[in-house]
Amino acid sequence: MVRAWKSYLAFTSTGYRILGLIVFPVLLLALTVSMGMEAAGAAVACYEILADFWLFSGILKKDTGSMDYLKTSIYGTDIIKKGLAADCIRRFVYLGILSFAGYLSSGRLNNFTAGLTVYLVVMVLLNVSRHLSGFMMHFSISSVGLLIYSILVKFVSGAAAAGIVAVVDVLASIVTVWYAMYCVKGSYYEKRYHESI
């Protein structure tokens, strides 16, 4: 786990560590305590997609130049894989804390279901946004996330739904890391193949 966290921090800047891991999460925690996770979930989904722009923007693109060193080094793909896995774990723990805070403030179990739904929406949309490198594209995708979350949270409630969404969240995390590694490895080998011709 320590190695995964180090791999994750290799992708972060000092600004992200301060703003993305401390300041904005505290602000979103205050928002969640005051409004509950069901209402604050849309803002959390937007934040998570926009914050990912700082870390893994364009990582799945075939022609990204920023990742070539990691793609070609011996341990590079392992660093990417562990960094992505640590990002999934960080996001899951973070949303769990926000959901628990929403539950403590309102006493409603739907806060947990809402947190799990935010996680699912974010993980699905990150598989799209990581193919893009423009901030406005990430902003547009975060707006789509807001809309999707707002629709899903109306239909997903109760303990049984929370259990189902939790299982789907775990599967979404596994698929996200697998898909990212598939794209990263595929883009390197395809590029290498075309350069040799």
Side-chain angles (χ1 to χ4, degrees):
M1 187 64 193
V2 172
R3 188 171 272 174
W5 186 247
K6 285 182 180 180
S7 296
Y8 175 72
L9 292 178
F11 291 97
T12 63
S13 64
T14 304
Y16 177 82
R17 290 176 191 171
I18 294 169
L19 293 174
L21 297 177
I22 299 170
V23 174
F24 287 123
V26 168
L27 292 174
L28 288 172
L29 180 63
L31 183 68
T32 303
V33 167
S34 65
M35 297 174 62
M37 188 63 182
E38 292 172 300
V44 174
C46 287
Y47 163 75
E48 285 292 336
I49 293 168
L50 290 174
D52 193 71
F53 173 76
W54 283 350
L55 298 175
F56 300 113
S57 175
I59 195 172
L60 304 182
K61 284 176 65 172
K62 287 185 179 183
D63 59 348
T64 184
S66 61
M67 301 303 285
D68 283 345
Y69 177 74
L70 285 174
K71 291 177 187 177
T72 59
S73 70
I74 295 172
Y75 301 110
T77 54
D78 191 50
I79 290 171
I80 294 171
K81 184 177 182 178
K82 287 181 180 174
L84 290 167
D87 184 51
C88 291
I89 293 167
R90 182 220 37 99
R91 186 172 291 110
F92 194 80
V93 169
Y94 168 66
L95 289 170
I97 292 169
L98 290 179
S99 300
F100 188 68
Y103 169 73
L104 288 179
S105 67
S106 69
R108 298 184 59 206
L109 285 174
N110 283 347
N111 285 291
F112 289 109
T113 309
L116 292 168
T117 305
V118 168
Y119 185 83
L120 179 61
V121 169
V122 168
M123 294 310 291
V124 169
L125 291 177
L126 286 180
N127 286 315
V128 176
S129 70
R130 288 178 176 165
H131 281 282
L132 310 167
S133 57
F135 180 76
M136 290 309 293
M137 294 304 292
H138 277 74
F139 184 76
S140 299
I141 290 172
S142 71
S143 300
V144 170
L146 186 145
L147 180 65
I148 292 170
Y149 169 77
S150 299
I151 293 168
L152 282 179
V153 78
K154 301 286 185 210
F155 298 108
V156 179
S157 63
I164 293 168
V165 176
V167 170
V168 174
D169 284 353
V170 171
L171 293 174
S173 297
I174 293 168
V175 168
T176 297
V177 174
W178 174 84
Y179 179 68
M181 295 313 301
Y182 173 78
C183 290
V184 166
K185 290 177 181 176
S187 67
Y188 168 67
Y189 289 115
E190 182 176 313
K191 185 176 180 181
R192 187 172 163 202
Y193 173 75
H194 290 298
E195 287 174 355
S196 66
I197 292 179

